[in-house]
Amino acid sequence: MDDWGIDAEGYIAAVRAGALDPYGQTADELQASLDAFDRELTARIMAMTPDEVEAGADLPPMRREAESPAQERLRFDDEFATRMRALETQSARVEGSRRALMAEHMQRLLDLPGDAGPKVKELASFAAVEVGLTTGGMQQRMTQAWTIVTELPAAHEAASAGRITTAHLRVIESETRAARLDPGVDAGQRARVVEALVAVAERSSTSELRARAKRIVNEVLSEPLQVRHDAARQQRRVELFDAGDGMGDIVARVPMLEGTAILDRLTQAARGKPKDDARTFDQFRADAFQELMLAGVVPEDLHGVSPITAHVSILIPATTLLDDDGQDPALRALDFPASLDGKVLVDRDTARRIAGTASVWERLFTDPVTGVAVTVDTYRVPRQQRLWLQARDGGCRGPGCARPALRSDVDHTIDWAKGGTTTLGNLGHLCRNCHTLKHDSRWAVRQLPSGVFEWTSPIGRVITDVPEPIGPVFTDTPRRSPPSTETRAERRRRTQEAVDRMAADRDRMLAGLPPDPDASPPPLPPDPLGIWTAEGTHVLGPPAPF
């Protein structure tokens, strides 16, 4: 026991069992500090003479080298990072306890006989008064907590233990909504999807998790991506919202491929603005958008931006281009959709349309075991390297970053000025922010075989970034769901039926008629309180535009 009555060994055992050290130290780090203290104490005792020991003299101080400014800065940096880690873990545990509390008491009321809605509303009003929230807001928080605890138990437990952040949990809840509403996805499949996403979340940033989640969830959905896209495309529209102070927000629901191209064209226009133009980057893009919509040109077309052609990067596996009719079922089972900037899944018909309008084709081969890009067969070497790297990297390879490769720099991992070579094993994409971080900070990076990047922070944190497979990966593991056996004609018929149902529902609604009682209603989110209307809108208010 020390002067404060704290048993060091017992404290370390408590941290190892799950307690939080206020300064973010792990049990192993605390044990190493204790061992170092014991060695130092032993050395100080051994430095005393027998007479000094017998007389009870004070221990001699150990000679320490003066701390340099660089060492002092590094010590403060390490304290900041570990303290932030501890606070984030503590916050996640508190939020997990709050989530569990709300779910427990909401389930208690749901188990009571009778309508649970008024009971939950009453309980929500009690808590709302205590914490200064509205009853509706508290009721919504309770519903969300109940949904996460009951439908995403693995993610809830990981967040409550501090293994993932609350932000990661929100991404998992959002990205798995389609799988949880799909009646063709059983409980076992949903559980495996959540477990896979938790494993990704434990080693990835939220943006990386969101990009990888789309493929993981798409594997188990019973409706093919093409059918879902065709039905969703019928909902495209443009809306205007009053933002106050004479300003407004224009929101357009369009296919993601075209939306990306629109934003890219506006971005190219902003990059060409003169240096003496006082407008910000975003302001210029907004002005260019207005002029293009109203007059078909950017402001005064000073820089010839109107003829700019948008540039988007879409990766299309060869199996996506194969004809469905008469196709070998084994090939049809290789359902690996095309992707936009490595993050947004693209339906098969759109991929084929883009492929049909391409004036130049450059073949891209992928390794059938790892799915990592191997080579391209274009003549010019610089372009070949850029295409190869765009396919391999998909986006920025900086720590936790996921910006598209198309808007990133190709960086020499070992600087050219320091003897680095212009080879695929020494090149990688870094966005401008991560590029300057690499050169202007104390981070160290090296590129390992197979395009793996290893980043090391000055305080010793190592982050490994492994490129995602960009094509089908052949393994002996069975698929989580059976392959689709639909032909193109069958898929078209099912899509048309879905579109006809939506059109009929819309016509009945415009005519003031109730929904067709014989039609199967669309799936809605879990609704223990009955707060969703028959049209699928929330009684607490319309959803946000995005």
Side-chain angles (χ1 to χ4, degrees), residues 411-422 426 438-439:
D411 172 68
H412 287 74
T413 308
I414 301 176
D415 296 348
W416 175 266
K418 297 180 180 179
T421 57
T422 308
N426 190 51
K438 172 180 178 284
H439 291 287

Side-chain angles (χ1 to χ4, degrees), residues 19-223:
L20 278 180
D21 176 71
Y23 292 96
Q25 298 291 309
T26 65
D28 291 339
E29 291 170 340
L30 291 170
Q31 186 63 55
S33 298
L34 180 61
D35 293 342
F37 174 79
D38 289 342
R39 289 193 298 270
E40 178 181 330
L41 180 62
T42 300
R44 292 170 66 185
I45 293 175
M46 295 301 295
M48 298 177 65
T49 65
D51 294 338
E52 289 175 331
V53 173
E54 187 174 350
D58 292 336
L59 292 173
M62 291 294 294
R63 295 181 60 182
R64 299 179 184 274
E65 295 183 3
E67 190 177 50
S68 68
Q71 291 173 327
E72 181 184 44
R73 178 186 174 188
L74 193 62
R75 177 169 56 83
F76 283 135
D77 290 345
D78 183 63
E79 289 177 0
F80 167 75
T82 53
R83 183 67 172 145
M84 284 295 297
R85 180 180 64 189
L87 291 174
E88 188 66 36
T89 302
Q90 185 177 10
S91 175
R93 291 186 178 184
V94 171
E95 182 62 31
S97 298
R98 177 165 43 228
R99 195 166 48 245
L101 176 67
M102 291 188 289
E104 176 188 356
H105 284 275
M106 184 166 174
Q107 186 63 52
R108 172 176 61 85
L109 298 181
L110 293 174
D111 292 338
L112 296 177
D115 186 4
K119 301 183 183 68
V120 173
K121 184 176 182 180
E122 180 187 57
L123 181 62
S125 69
F126 298 159
V129 170
E130 296 295 331
V131 300
L133 295 176
T134 64
T135 298
M138 178 58 68
Q139 189 173 352
Q140 190 173 20
R141 291 176 66 179
M142 292 173 63
T143 302
Q144 292 171 345
W146 179 87
T147 300
I148 291 174
V149 172
T150 56
E151 296 193 0
L152 305 169
H156 162 65
E157 292 171 5
S160 300
R163 304 201 315 270
I164 64 175
T165 66
T166 303
H168 285 92
L169 179 63
R170 285 196 292 266
V171 172
I172 294 175
E173 191 277 332
S174 173
E175 294 297 330
T176 58
R177 189 170 297 136
R180 290 184 282 118
L181 297 178
D182 191 335
V185 180
D186 59 42
Q189 290 176 312
R190 288 195 293 268
R192 287 192 294 271
V193 166
V194 174
E195 290 171 0
L197 293 181
V198 169
V200 173
E202 290 178 340
R203 61 178 188 273
S204 305
S205 66
T206 51
S207 58
E208 292 173 320
L209 170 63
R210 194 182 303 277
R212 298 176 187 180
K214 297 185 185 303
R215 289 197 187 279
I216 295 175
V217 173
N218 183 67
E219 288 184 11
V220 302
L221 295 179
S222 59
E223 290 280 350

